[in-house]
Amino acid sequence: MNKLNSITATVAALSILLGTAPVAMAQQPATAATTAPNAQTSVNLDPAVTKRLTDVLNTLAGKQTIEFTSADNASDAWTVYGTLKGTANADFSQDYDSKKGIVQSTSIIYNAADMDKVMAPNLRSKVASFLKTFDTDKVFKTEALWRVYSPIDEGGFKNYWVLWGQNQSLYIHLDQGNKITASFLYSLKDVRAALINKANRSLKTLGITTKPFEYTLRQQENNDTVWHFRDENDTNSVQIGIKTGKVWAVKNEHGMDWDGDKDFARAFAKPKLSKNQALSAAKSKVQSLFGINLKGYTVQIKKNEYTFLKKGAATVVGKINKKGVFYSLEATPANRIRN
């Protein structure tokens, strides 16, 4: 297996496990059909296609020597592979829509050792500062460095660097002020027993048959810095603040007792619980899990989702099953920082 395919397979497996978005899609407008001077090709590519692919690579990596080495073009959706040489050697892959004439994704795979050559100093400094506080166990080791461009991926990651480690990922979102998100996987044997016990107790509080946790993730996303205990399918899930040790979210999807979308729509066409019934059903669990007293809270209802609100206080969102039992409860503090 060549380097590119090996890394792609590894990252794809990690992405399924960690719930991250590996390579998304990007659009580049078609331009005049003249072959780029810094591009070579050992595959049969039209000059206009070569230029479109090359323009994106030049934007992301600067003027490097580009060689297109292979292409899977059996359908309208092509995947083109190649190498870069210059500032640093790299492999790349690009998805191309031959029908629309646009580049749909570009991913450049660098050696981790070349980070200083290809990443701007301010970004390297930001990564180092982030890891000082997030990676207190000093477990992160960059094994692959990707540059990905994906501006048309709705709701996904669009324009970023991603540092891959062993069951670890760290994203720098260039289109979001260089915001960093990260996820490091830990086996349960490497996590403090007190945290595991708290996660198990929290799950049992829902009163639904549980499945054991299989691992935990140390995650940084938006304002959340949490331990995320879960099984492989994310059926059981508990999130605990890394700094505060507070429980912020508990979910057990074994409590989802409807049979498909039609059954769900019928079951929750009308509120299963009234506002007062919802407060009564939730108050002891919310107090036990989050230390939040629901006295003085109002309730908003949307299908099976109940949102408990109080001005200046934490917001709690719960989801019920057909029996009116909460299988998911999540709290967000007034300042929206969960850590």
Side-chain angles (χ1 to χ4, degrees):
M1 183 180 291
N2 65 33
K3 174 185 167 186
L4 178 60
N5 289 340
S6 175
I7 292 174
T8 303
T10 300
V11 173
L14 284 174
S15 300
I16 292 170
L17 182 63
L18 301 180
T20 54
V23 180
M25 302 198 331
Q27 182 171 346
Q28 188 74 10
T31 53
T34 55
T35 304
N38 60 321
Q40 306 172 33
T41 179
S42 54
V43 293
N44 186 21
L45 292 176
D46 181 90
V49 174
T50 301
K51 186 175 189 307
R52 292 178 187 129
L53 296 169
T54 301
D55 285 347
V56 179
L57 291 166
N58 287 342
T59 298
L60 299 182
K63 288 291 185 72
Q64 311 297 305
T65 299
I66 300 168
E67 182 177 2
F68 297 99
T69 56
S70 64
D72 180 356
N73 56 2
S75 65
D76 290 338
W78 298 6
T79 302
V80 181
Y81 301 95
T83 61
L84 297 181
K85 294 181 180 179
T87 304
N89 293 343
D91 294 318
F92 65 81
S93 68
Q94 294 179 280
D95 290 335
Y96 180 77
D97 187 328
S98 61
K99 193 170 184 179
K100 296 181 180 179
I102 58 174
V103 181
Q104 293 184 298
S105 72
T106 297
S107 300
I108 304 173
I109 295 87
Y110 293 101
N111 290 320
D114 290 327
M115 181 172 169
D116 288 356
K117 297 179 182 177
V118 297
M119 185 182 287
N122 66 310
L123 296 182
R124 299 200 307 269
S125 177
K126 186 162 188 174
V127 168
S129 296
F130 172 80
L131 289 173
K132 281 182 181 179
T133 57
F134 183 77
D135 184 24
T136 54
D137 300 323
K138 300 188 184 303
V139 298
F140 185 68
K141 181 180 179 182
T142 307
E143 295 187 354
L145 177 67
W146 289 40
R147 177 70 174 91
V148 184
Y149 184 54
S150 53
I152 67 169
D153 183 32
E154 294 183 5
F157 295 174
K158 297 177 182 295
N159 185 21
Y160 58 91
W161 285 95
V162 56
L163 286 66
W164 296 103
Q166 184 63 41
N167 295 333
Q168 301 162 329
S169 64
L170 189 156
Y171 288 82
I172 309 170
H173 302 272
L174 303 177
D175 55 345
Q176 299 178 46
N178 299 333
K179 181 183 75 175
I180 290 178
T181 60
S183 184
F184 297 177
L185 183 145
Y186 287 72
S187 65
L188 294 181
K189 66 181 179 62
D190 295 325
V191 180
R192 289 187 291 116
L195 277 175
I196 299 172
N197 292 337
K198 180 177 284 190
N200 285 325
R201 288 195 305 270
S202 298
L203 198 59
K204 289 178 181 177
T205 298
L206 294 179
I208 299 169
T209 301
T210 63
K211 178 183 177 182
F213 295 116
E214 295 178 274
Y215 54 85
T216 187
L217 302 170
R218 187 182 181 97
Q219 292 185 314
Q220 168 72 40
E221 186 172 0
N222 298 322
N223 293 324
D224 297 346
T225 308
V226 298
W227 290 107
H228 185 180
F229 290 84
R230 53 176 287 187
D231 56 44
E232 188 169 351
N233 296 319
D234 202 23
T235 302
N236 291 331
S237 172
V238 174
Q239 295 183 29
I240 300 174
I242 289 175
K243 296 179 181 179
T244 63
K246 290 183 177 181
V247 176
W248 293 113
V250 184
K251 178 186 69 175
N252 182 354
E253 290 186 353
H254 289 294
M256 298 167 63
D257 56 358
W258 53 87
D259 185 16
D261 293 341
K262 290 184 179 179
D263 188 29
F264 177 89
R266 283 193 300 267
F268 302 105
K270 296 181 180 180
K272 181 69 62 175
L273 301 176
S274 69
K275 293 181 179 181
N276 286 336
Q277 287 173 328
L279 283 165
S280 178
K283 64 180 181 181
S284 63
K285 292 180 179 179
V286 170
Q287 179 71 56
S288 176
L289 290 169
F290 311 128
I292 296 172
N293 187 335
L294 290 180
K295 185 178 180 180
Y297 271 72
T298 60
V299 184
Q300 293 179 352
I301 305 171
K302 182 180 180 182
K303 297 181 180 179
N304 76 325
E305 184 175 285
Y306 290 73
T307 302
F308 303 91
L309 298 161
K310 184 178 179 180
K311 188 175 181 179
T315 297
V316 178
V317 178
K319 294 181 180 180
I320 63 170
N321 59 21
K322 291 165 62 175
K323 301 181 183 70
V325 175
F326 284 96
Y327 67 87
S328 173
L329 287 163
E330 184 170 352
T332 302
N335 65 3
R336 308 196 68 80
I337 297 175
R338 306 197 300 183
N339 57 32

